[in-house]
Amino acid sequence: MTRTAFLLALLAILMGCDQSPSPPRATQPSPTETPQPWFKDVAGDSGIDFVWHSGADDSFLMPEIVGGGVAMIDYDMDGDEDLYFIQGGNMATAWKEPQRNTSGNRMYRNDGNMRFTDVTDRTRTGDGGYGMGVAVGDIDNDGDPDLYLTNVGRNTMLRNDQGVFTDITDESGTGDTGWGASATFVDADLDGDLDLFATRYLKWTPDTELTCYSPLGGEDYCSPRNYLSPAVDIYYRNLGDGRFEDATVAAGFDQANGTGLGVIHADINGDRRPDFFVANDGMRDLLWVSHPSGQWKEAGMERGCAVDDEGIAKAGMGVDAADIDDDNDFDLIVCNLTGESDSIFRNDGDYFVDITGRTGVRAATRHATRFGLAWRDFDHDGWLDLFEANGAVTRQNAPPHEDPYAQSNTLLKGSENGRFSVLDHGLSPNDVLTSRAAAFGDLDGDGGLDIVIVNRDAPITLLHNVHPYRGNWIGVDLRDASGRPAIGAELRCRLGERTLLKQVQRAGSYMAMSDPTIHIGLGEHASLEDVTIRWPNGHIAPLGRLEGGRVHEVTSASSNGRSEEKK
């Protein structure tokens, strides 16, 4: 061997010893390859036979066109998300005799591999009300998740005792008898237990229903603007002993009313207290900003997120909050009616700017009426995508069309330049249904985010993430000292040259609860760097580097904010 060849061989060996293993990379399609779907509907093989029954019988009672809800909830604490569905039924019967409205909510246990078993009877989670939405939260700090059900009529609180639920509505004081819609638990007063914020849609009874007509001929469902009966949303403060007090007035939430359908919480103004954004149907949206006095002030118009950039109050339904521009604050999205685009409000600190047009979302979403939605990174390229569940509220097709309210759902791919583009091939099949609630989470533990959708008078849609070229990913499951998800906790980190802000959040979408695990697409990166947690009590915990490809469970070990990672 020549001296030159020997030196080159030695150099190659030394370089090989010094190199770290390269992170796994997702295989990318060739330019000529047929686009593959991101999601496949596997509901038919899942064991879930749930259908949300509207009870429609040509009376055109308004609740029939806006329900119903779904929650991802690990009720049995076995480490995967089970599914709980809110049922409608017969509105006239449910209003007068809820106990006779026997269609009932349903709980399905996750058995793995996208298979589920109906465990409603053994968990005692049926409810006879005409159901709308659901909230999930551990109200008694015992480590397992409880349920709050919103109905047209009396709402219901179900306490979870090791997988069996007990109706504690009366003793908890949470049985509001209005028309409930979306709701959420969060420790709003920072005293260590979860409080409850619940939207109300309209002041309505079957006896006050109106008669409205379709341009296509015949009767149809009315717009909420016809009723002139907005309601005040309700806020319950957790007293810590199984009871809640109605603190709506004391906290200032009685200072504005609306037609609330969607709600989400986030620290909008950076004061380390939860704020609330409420999507109102046909009225200006509300932004409740916390105040040092312990009250909340409505500041939607003042901060620029109550109406769109043309000053129009749209038909707000689903909502989400995320930092879409990497500037360390939460931006907002609210979806609306056919002919109205979504509204994306970029948080610029003291105010919001409507950037819907420049993102490509305005043109992409006007064709349908949207309900459940979320910003999530479904392909793990590091940029948030957008999914929307669609379905009209007035007839779009004349008879004999099977479902005159049906519309196909929408999937938009996010990008580095902040724009979203429609993926026509993303959903397989993309059935034309009347879709409402949508919840998001990894149901089978394969690292991909799945979607469950409730459809009006049709079987559910269960979208399994089958994206063939997903990038790297990481999950971070933040738990408080009692072992429950640390709702409202924030994660800050570095991904390459970017800085990211995420929060532990179940709420958002529309009448739904999603998996609270923080899920981040890493693209070609192998890890998150400089990870820091801000717990709901304000304590800061640096975690440093977290490797991708798995879920990290991090627990707030004590009141001083120390954390430990559980492998």
Side-chain angles (χ1 to χ4, degrees):
M1 177 182 294
T2 66
R3 176 180 175 83
T4 300
F6 173 78
L7 291 174
L8 289 174
L10 179 62
L11 179 61
I13 293 172
L14 292 174
M15 289 180 66
C17 292
D18 287 343
Q19 286 178 337
S20 300
S22 299
R25 296 186 178 184
T27 302
Q28 295 301 315
S30 67
T32 59
E33 187 172 336
T34 302
Q36 298 296 307
W38 288 22
F39 293 93
K40 179 182 179 181
D41 185 5
V42 297
D45 297 323
S46 69
I48 300 174
D49 57 358
F50 180 84
V51 173
W52 189 82
H53 296 293
S54 70
D57 61 359
D58 295 328
S59 297
F60 295 98
L61 300 177
M62 186 68 164
E64 299 168 353
I65 198 62
V66 296
V70 62
M72 292 186 179
I73 171 176
D74 185 8
Y75 84 91
D76 53 3
M77 301 298 292
D78 67 349
D80 54 27
E81 296 295 306
D82 310 297
L83 295 176
Y84 185 68
F85 294 91
I86 303 299
Q87 185 56 277
N90 181 282
M91 184 66 252
T93 299
W95 186 261
K96 296 178 181 178
E97 299 177 90
Q99 66 277 8
R100 290 186 55 219
N101 188 41
T102 56
S103 53
N105 303 341
R106 310 303 295 175
M107 177 75 81
Y108 291 86
R109 186 188 65 224
N110 190 339
D111 296 330
N113 298 316
M114 304 300 283
R115 298 284 300 178
F116 297 81
T117 298
D118 189 332
V119 292
T120 307
D121 291 341
R122 75 180 69 171
T123 59
R124 299 191 346 210
T125 47
D127 185 68
Y130 192 94
M132 288 283 115
V134 55
V136 176
D138 180 6
I139 64 170
D140 49 3
N141 293 351
D142 66 350
D144 53 23
D146 309 298
L147 286 164
Y148 186 68
L149 320 177
T150 62
N151 297 315
V152 186
R154 175 188 177 269
N155 293 343
T156 301
M157 181 76 80
L158 297 179
R159 185 185 65 218
N160 186 354
D161 297 310
Q162 299 181 338
V164 178
F165 289 75
T166 302
D167 187 334
I168 61 166
T169 307
D170 292 339
E171 61 193 86
S172 67
T174 55
D176 181 60
T177 57
W179 181 344
S182 295
T184 182
F185 288 106
V186 65
D187 185 6
D189 56 4
L190 304 182
D191 66 349
D193 49 34
L194 295 179
D195 310 298
L196 173 63
F197 186 100
T199 64
R200 289 164 164 162
Y201 187 41
L202 292 170
K203 297 176 182 176
W204 179 95
T205 73
D207 294 333
T208 61
E209 184 57 272
L210 306 174
T211 300
C212 296
Y213 295 90
S214 169
L216 300 177
E219 290 188 36
D220 205 347
Y221 294 102
C222 296
S223 162
R225 293 183 175 95
N226 293 104
Y227 296 90
L228 299 177
S229 59
V232 173
D233 299 324
I234 191 165
Y235 169 66
Y236 292 105
R237 187 168 68 87
N238 192 333
L239 299 179
D241 58 359
R243 295 179 301 124
F244 288 74
E245 70 170 356
D246 184 345
T248 307
V249 175
F253 290 111
D254 64 328
Q255 299 303 304
N257 59 17
T259 46
L261 285 178
V263 63
I264 197 164
H265 59 80
D267 181 8
I268 295 297
N269 62 353
D271 67 350
R272 302 188 177 185
R273 295 173 60 90
D275 309 301
F276 298 93
F277 180 72
V278 178
N280 285 320
D281 188 2
M283 297 181 64
R284 64 184 179 92
D285 298 326
L286 302 178
L287 177 64
W288 294 102
V289 176
S290 61
H291 190 271
S293 66
Q295 292 188 317
W296 280 260
K297 176 186 176 183
E298 205 291 299
M301 291 295 289
E302 174 186 330
R303 288 180 174 259
C305 59
V307 295
D308 70 7
D309 56 0
E310 297 178 346
I312 298 173
K314 296 177 179 176
M317 272 79 82
V319 296
D320 201 4
D323 182 9
I324 64 170
D325 54 356
D326 298 344
D327 67 346
N328 205 40
D329 55 26
F330 291 106
D331 311 294
L332 299 169
I333 185 171
V334 55
C335 61
N336 304 292
L337 194 68
T338 300
E340 302 174 342
S341 75
D342 294 345
S343 293
I344 297 179
F345 297 110
R346 187 186 67 208
N347 189 343
D348 283 350
D350 293 333
Y351 56 88
F352 289 85
V353 176
D354 187 335
I355 62 168
T356 315
R358 71 188 73 174
T359 65
V361 170
R362 174 169 291 170
T365 58
R366 296 173 63 92
H367 69 286
T369 295
R370 290 84 63 204
F371 282 85
L373 87 167
W375 275 316
R376 297 288 193 276
D377 186 0
F378 297 114
D379 61 349
H380 294 168
D381 67 349
W383 306 100
L384 294 176
D385 310 302
L386 177 62
F387 175 85
E388 302 189 332
N390 303 331
V393 292
T394 55
R395 290 206 308 274
Q396 306 294 296
N397 302 286
H401 193 277
E402 183 177 353
D403 183 352
Y405 305 97
Q407 297 174 325
S408 57
N409 297 327
T410 304
L411 176 63
L412 299 98
K413 176 177 171 54
S415 63
E416 183 176 357
N417 63 14
R419 293 186 63 83
F420 296 83
S421 56
V422 176
L423 288 178
D424 292 328
H425 65 275
L427 309 175
S428 178
N430 193 1
D431 291 333
V432 182
L433 298 166
T434 304
S435 299
R436 294 296 182 251
F440 304 82
D442 182 3
L443 291 173
D444 59 342
D446 68 349
L449 290 174
D450 310 303
I451 309 172
V452 57
I453 305 163
V454 174
N455 302 305
R456 179 181 186 262
D457 293 323
I460 65 129
T461 301
L462 184 60
L463 295 179
H464 184 209
N465 190 326
V466 294
H467 194 298
Y469 309 112
R470 288 201 304 257
N472 300 325
W473 65 280
I474 191 171
V476 185
D477 183 6
L478 298 180
R479 301 269 169 168
D480 64 16
S482 69
R484 69 184 182 187
I487 302 298
E490 294 179 355
L491 180 151
R492 289 171 170 80
C493 64
R494 183 168 53 83
L495 178 64
E497 300 300 317
R498 300 167 58 197
T499 57
L500 305 182
L501 169 65
K502 305 290 181 178
Q503 69 168 329
V504 180
Q505 173 73 263
R506 288 188 186 270
S509 188
Y510 175 82
M511 298 190 188
M513 291 275 112
S514 295
D515 181 355
T517 301
I518 294 174
H519 192 100
I520 301 174
L522 303 178
E524 295 188 351
H525 296 281
S527 62
L528 294 177
E529 310 294 333
D530 301 330
V531 179
T532 300
I533 308 301
R534 194 193 79 185
W535 298 101
N537 61 10
H539 292 140
I540 306 297
L543 298 182
R545 186 174 189 265
L546 293 181
E547 291 288 339
R550 65 187 183 91
V551 176
H552 299 257
E553 183 177 308
V554 181
T555 302
S556 174
S558 68
S559 60
N560 65 12
R562 289 187 293 108
S563 305
E564 61 182 44
E565 181 186 342
K566 295 184 179 179
K567 305 296 184 183

